Amino acid sequence: MTRDPKHSDAPSRPRGYEQVDRLSIPLPHGTEVTTRVERLAGERRIPQGVVGRVARARDGGFDIQIVGVGELWYARDELVPRKPGQLQFALRRAATWDALRPCVVLETVVGSQAWGLANEASDVDMRGVFALPLPWHFGLADKAKDLVSADGSHTFWEVSKAVEQALRADPNTLETLFVPSARATDALGEWLLAEREAFVSKAIFGSFGRYAMSQLDKLTRSQRLAEHRDLVLAWLCEEPAPSLDEVSQRLAAISPRTAPSPEDALLAAKTYLKQLYRSLWDQGLIESNDFAALTRYARGGGQRPPSARELRPKNAYNLLRLVVLATGWLKDGVPTFEVSGAMKARLLEIKSGQVPLEDVLRDAEALAPELEEAHRTSTLPAFPDYGRADRLLRRVGEELARRWVLKEPGPLGRDAPAPPAVEDKEDAP
């Protein structure tokens, strides 16, 4: 748990932001904040002025991840952004969202809603594409490439970024373009949908299939490590506390993984321990990314975060779904996003946490030969059509210029939002 040594209810503001009410600033996911009130976590008192990070918006307030404590809920008026640079970022992000949301030309409901795997607890996530009005392309101010809602559920990419991602066979971008719910809200969006086949190639074998297989393997290794976590924490509470080498030797002796030699088993155990404290550090549960911090966490009563296991089934079922999607797309030449039949039942079992990760990996490995064969025999082009994509972007650019010059009605012409003013770089974080 970290106290902000400079904490006050009226910390300094960067030049030009002196009159901004810090309690009215949006707090996007991941923002570092300082608390303005005390809290009780069980019988533990969490003082005012503690530094945390926004985990999610909920019930009119925010769940805040605090190092060494876990997640606590705070109302909006009980939090302020920790750094002046975060104040600037939050205001810029909110202002960009408000200004450019009308410039969205394509939007798609994605995620479990699009895959036929949603339940009553599923969120509605949306991705899409927006176009920058012509004046936003000039000047020194950074060009907006992303629009993200405050709660992170809506993400839109600027049209050139979307095209570049699609040419790399990025799964999120291709899904946005090909899911049946994709809806054009402007002629520019219609052009994107009309040209989307230009982005399809055998590259989805790697970006979808091979990527998913490698991530499933990483998830399984992480799960094996998590199964030993409580045991490792108990060892670290012994007197005297064992060293990294001592814990590694104990872990290597009980690990179910086979290794070519005792030295390899010891190296794997050390790697697992480093992954453990890196994971805790990433979650904000320890103050530094090292073994000493892990030891302090254990001796301070650190326990598994409640959400750690809940996240893995969701990741696993989505990765297995990517393997199935890539196989079908390579084989048939067209994508099928909504799953059905036995595969749907299996994915729902995985999503609900009923299937061990090792079994999910075995499912994926069983699908690997079919994926390889689909890639070998696929009639999809080896590469995307770069020329067609280039012509599309040039056409979009010419249309944006035409609407602005002729002052056509709409957010990309006469009614375009004013571009942002450039900010002094000396005030940047």
Side-chain angles (χ1 to χ4, degrees), residues 227-301:
E227 289 171 353
H228 292 303
R229 170 175 172 159
D230 293 338
L231 187 56
V232 168
L233 294 180
W235 290 341
L236 292 175
C237 291
E238 296 174 356
E239 294 291 351
S243 66
L244 173 62
D245 287 340
E246 291 170 331
V247 174
S248 299
Q249 289 170 357
R250 294 193 200 180
L251 190 57
I254 66 170
S255 175
R257 296 188 67 197
T258 58
S261 69
E263 292 76 16
D264 290 318
L266 184 60
L267 178 61
K270 281 189 177 181
T271 301
Y272 290 161
L273 289 171
K274 291 177 181 179
Q275 290 173 346
L276 174 55
Y277 58 70
R278 175 56 187 263
S279 173
L280 292 173
W281 183 63
D282 286 343
Q283 296 173 63
L285 294 174
I286 58 178
E287 71 276 12
S288 57
N289 181 25
D290 55 41
F291 184 73
L294 175 63
T295 301
R296 289 191 292 274
Y297 174 75
R299 299 174 82 84

Side-chain angles (χ1 to χ4, degrees), residues 166-330:
L167 288 170
R168 297 196 301 268
D170 171 66
N172 290 331
T173 309
L174 291 182
E175 177 182 51
T176 298
L177 294 173
F178 280 88
V179 161
S181 67
R183 183 177 72 90
T185 58
D186 184 280
L188 301 183
E190 295 174 357
W191 296 353
L192 275 169
L193 293 180
E195 301 293 340
R196 61 189 178 183
E197 292 293 341
F199 308 122
V200 179
S201 71
K202 289 184 178 180
I204 63 175
F205 170 70
S207 62
F208 284 60
R210 281 282 179 84
Y211 165 78
M213 296 288 285
S214 67
Q215 292 300 306
L216 279 166
D217 186 50
K218 288 181 180 179
L219 278 176
T220 304
R221 291 200 302 269
S222 297
Q223 175 67 12
R224 288 171 179 157
L225 173 61
E227 289 171 353
H228 292 303
R229 170 175 172 159
D230 293 338
L231 187 56
V232 168
L233 294 180
W235 290 341
L236 292 175
C237 291
E238 296 174 356
E239 294 291 351
S243 66
L244 173 62
D245 287 340
E246 291 170 331
V247 174
S248 299
Q249 289 170 357
R250 294 193 200 180
L251 190 57
I254 66 170
S255 175
R257 296 188 67 197
T258 58
S261 69
E263 292 76 16
D264 290 318
L266 184 60
L267 178 61
K270 281 189 177 181
T271 301
Y272 290 161
L273 289 171
K274 291 177 181 179
Q275 290 173 346
L276 174 55
Y277 58 70
R278 175 56 187 263
S279 173
L280 292 173
W281 183 63
D282 286 343
Q283 296 173 63
L285 294 174
I286 58 178
E287 71 276 12
S288 57
N289 181 25
D290 55 41
F291 184 73
L294 175 63
T295 301
R296 289 191 292 274
Y297 174 75
R299 299 174 82 84
Q303 299 297 320
R304 179 191 300 275
S307 61
R309 288 188 182 274
E310 296 170 3
L311 294 173
R312 293 191 180 98
K314 180 177 180 180
N315 291 341
Y317 99 97
N318 183 35
L319 292 169
L320 187 60
R321 181 195 65 85
L322 280 178
V323 175
V324 174
L325 173 59
T327 301
W329 204 338
L330 288 164

Side-chain angles (χ1 to χ4, degrees), residues 101-154:
R101 180 63 178 86
C103 300
V104 168
V105 300
L106 176 72
E107 54 187 26
T108 307
V109 174
V110 295
S112 58
Q113 304 285 348
W115 309 332
L117 299 170
N119 56 34
E120 62 279 359
S122 298
D123 298 326
V124 177
D125 297 319
M126 181 174 289
R127 295 196 194 98
V129 181
F130 70 95
L132 278 179
L134 188 66
W136 287 63
H137 288 267
F138 310 118
L140 293 175
D142 293 335
K143 312 302 182 288
K145 291 293 186 180
D146 304 90
L147 286 181
V148 184
S149 62
D151 64 0
S153 64
H154 289 49

